[in-house]
Amino acid sequence: MKMLTLKLNPKAIFGIILALTGLVVIVISFASNHIQDAKSVSASINASTDEKRREYLKELGWELDDECEEKQLKIPESWNEVYIDYNEIQKNQGFDLTDYKGKSVTLYTYKITNYDGIDEGIVADMLVCDGVLIGGDVCNLSASDGFLVGFSGEHGKN
C-alpha cells in the first residue's frame, strides 16, 4: 500500500486559504448581482394609491383626465398567444407577469389626453398586485386604429 504525503509550509497553506476565500467572494458577488438583475423593476414602483399611479404616468410624460376606472381580474394560469405576446411587451419594459399566473390583480385605467394629436380613446392600463405595479400598457381603444404599446408609448408620445 502506498501513501501520498504532502508537506506544506505555513505560507503555502495561507496562500491556498486566501485563494479559496477569493473564489468564494467572487462566486457570491456574481450570484447576488445576477439575482438582483433578474428581479422585476416592479418591486420598486409603488402603485398603492391613485396619487402614486398618476405620478408614475406623469413622470413618463402623460397627461391624464380626472377619471379612473378600477376593475378586479384574474391572470389566467395557462396562457394563449395573446397573453404570451402581452407578456413580451411587459418584459420589454421590465415587468413579467409569469409569477402572477392565477392571481387576482387590480386593473386601473386612466384616460390620456396628450397622445400625439389623438384626442380620444387613448388609455393607460396599470396592473397592480398588493400595491405594486406589475405591468401595464398604453392603448388605443378604437376598433379601426387600435394599438397596444408599453408605458413609454413609443408610437407617438408627445
Side-chain angles (χ1 to χ4, degrees), residues 6-147:
L6 182 63
K7 286 189 173 185
L8 296 174
N9 63 28
K11 286 183 181 179
I13 293 172
F14 179 73
I16 291 170
I17 291 172
L18 189 62
L20 289 174
T21 303
L23 184 61
V24 168
V25 168
I26 290 169
V27 168
I28 290 172
S29 296
F30 180 80
S32 67
N33 285 341
H34 281 69
I35 289 169
Q36 286 178 342
D37 289 345
K39 289 183 181 176
S40 174
V41 296
S42 65
S44 63
I45 302 173
N46 182 341
S48 59
T49 65
D50 183 64
E51 180 181 346
K52 291 180 190 254
R53 291 186 295 273
R54 287 178 181 278
E55 182 180 305
Y56 177 75
L57 292 171
K58 286 179 184 178
E59 286 175 5
L60 294 172
W62 299 120
E63 294 173 13
L64 310 170
D65 75 0
D66 295 333
E67 296 179 33
C68 173
E69 293 181 23
E70 180 179 334
K71 187 188 317 184
Q72 297 297 313
L73 37 106
K74 185 175 181 177
I75 297 177
E77 290 199 28
S78 61
W79 290 354
N80 59 20
E81 274 304 308
V82 173
Y83 275 95
I84 292 169
D85 291 345
Y86 185 74
N87 199 44
E88 281 303 310
I89 293 171
Q90 301 314 306
K91 287 178 179 180
N92 289 337
Q93 60 183 354
F95 300 103
D96 187 353
L97 299 176
T98 305
D99 292 340
Y100 298 94
K101 287 182 174 182
K103 293 189 178 181
S104 293
V105 300
T106 306
L107 172 68
Y108 296 96
T109 301
Y110 295 91
K111 291 181 182 174
I112 293 177
T113 60
N114 68 325
Y115 191 92
D116 194 28
I118 302 174
D119 296 330
E120 292 184 22
I122 308 297
V123 298
D125 291 320
M126 302 179 84
L127 294 168
V128 178
C129 185
D130 298 326
V132 176
L133 182 65
I134 63 166
D137 59 79
V138 171
C139 65
N140 183 341
L141 301 175
S142 166
S144 60
D145 298 324
F147 61 81

